[in-house]
């Protein structure tokens, strides 16, 4: 029985598609999010999330669902811009999920813009042939 478990675990690890969970692919998806956000396209940013995704913004209540996430990013885009996300590490979580650890920077839209930097952890989930954000948590460095 033990040998079957080892063989099964090995097969699962080897079957994970490299293109789905490699750093370049995840960075490309993060870039797509930043482009939508920077353009003020909250619907486009929210479309990168699963229908039942959860975000956990710092100093705010947890929000669930794509429509709530769209409202959140719309409000954020009114105050922030010039966003940049940098993928630091990607860890596969089976063949249909991946964990991304990264950093971010944004600038406030105040009369004297300030840079806001921080870090995030995201769980990506495969939905059909697309990768979507399922869980998103972040906080600032200050």
């Amino acid at each position: 029985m033990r040998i079957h478990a080892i063989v099964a675990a090995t097969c699962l690890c080897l079957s994970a598609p490299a293109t789905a969970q490699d750093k370049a692919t995840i960075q490309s998806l993060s870039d797509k999010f930043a482009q939508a956000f920077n353009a003020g396209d909250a619907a486009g940013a929210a479309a990168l999330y699963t229908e039942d995704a959860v975000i956990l913004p710092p100093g705010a209540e947890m929000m669930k669902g794509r429509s709530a996430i769209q409202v959140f990013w719309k409000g954020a885009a009114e105050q922030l811009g010039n966003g940049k996300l940098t993928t630091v590490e990607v860890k596969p979580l089976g063949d249909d999920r991946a964990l991304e650890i990264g950093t971010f920077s944004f600038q406030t839209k105040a009369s004297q813009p300030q840079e806001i930097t921080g870090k995030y952890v995201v769980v990506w989930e495969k939905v059909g042939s697309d990768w979507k954000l399922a869980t998103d948590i972040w906080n600032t460095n200050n």
Side-chain angles (χ1 to χ4, degrees), residues 88-131:
V88 174
E89 184 176 358
V90 175
K91 295 182 178 187
L93 303 173
D95 63 353
D96 64 348
R97 286 186 176 74
L99 176 81
E100 176 192 6
I101 298 171
T103 61
F104 66 80
S105 66
F106 290 92
Q107 283 191 332
T108 62
K109 291 184 176 178
S111 58
Q112 294 183 346
Q114 294 181 340
E115 185 177 39
I116 297 173
T117 60
K119 58 273 185 196
Y120 63 89
V121 175
V122 172
V123 175
W124 291 91
E125 183 177 304
K126 194 163 188 183
V127 178
S129 61
D130 297 324
W131 285 88

Side-chain angles (χ1 to χ4, degrees), residues 14-133:
L14 295 176
S15 68
T19 58
Q21 299 161 335
D22 67 41
K23 191 174 175 181
T25 299
I26 297 298
Q27 181 64 63
S28 174
L29 291 165
S30 293
D31 290 345
K32 190 173 179 181
F33 174 89
Q35 289 168 354
F37 180 84
N38 290 337
D41 181 8
L48 294 167
Y49 288 83
T50 63
E51 285 292 337
D52 61 349
V54 176
I55 63 171
L56 300 107
E61 294 294 320
M62 175 173 36
M63 295 176 191
K64 185 171 183 176
R66 191 179 286 160
S67 59
I69 291 169
Q70 181 176 337
V71 169
F72 175 84
W73 287 122
K74 182 180 184 310
E78 292 169 359
Q79 299 174 29
L80 301 172
N82 200 24
K84 181 174 175 18
L85 304 173
T86 303
T87 301
V88 174
E89 184 176 358
V90 175
K91 295 182 178 187
L93 303 173
D95 63 353
D96 64 348
R97 286 186 176 74
L99 176 81
E100 176 192 6
I101 298 171
T103 61
F104 66 80
S105 66
F106 290 92
Q107 283 191 332
T108 62
K109 291 184 176 178
S111 58
Q112 294 183 346
Q114 294 181 340
E115 185 177 39
I116 297 173
T117 60
K119 58 273 185 196
Y120 63 89
V121 175
V122 172
V123 175
W124 291 91
E125 183 177 304
K126 194 163 188 183
V127 178
S129 61
D130 297 324
W131 285 88
K132 302 281 186 178
L133 294 154

Side-chain angles (χ1 to χ4, degrees), residues 1-21:
M1 186 60 105
R2 176 186 251 173
I3 213 131
H4 292 297
I6 292 170
V7 170
T10 302
C11 289
L12 285 174
C13 291
L14 295 176
S15 68
T19 58
Q21 299 161 335

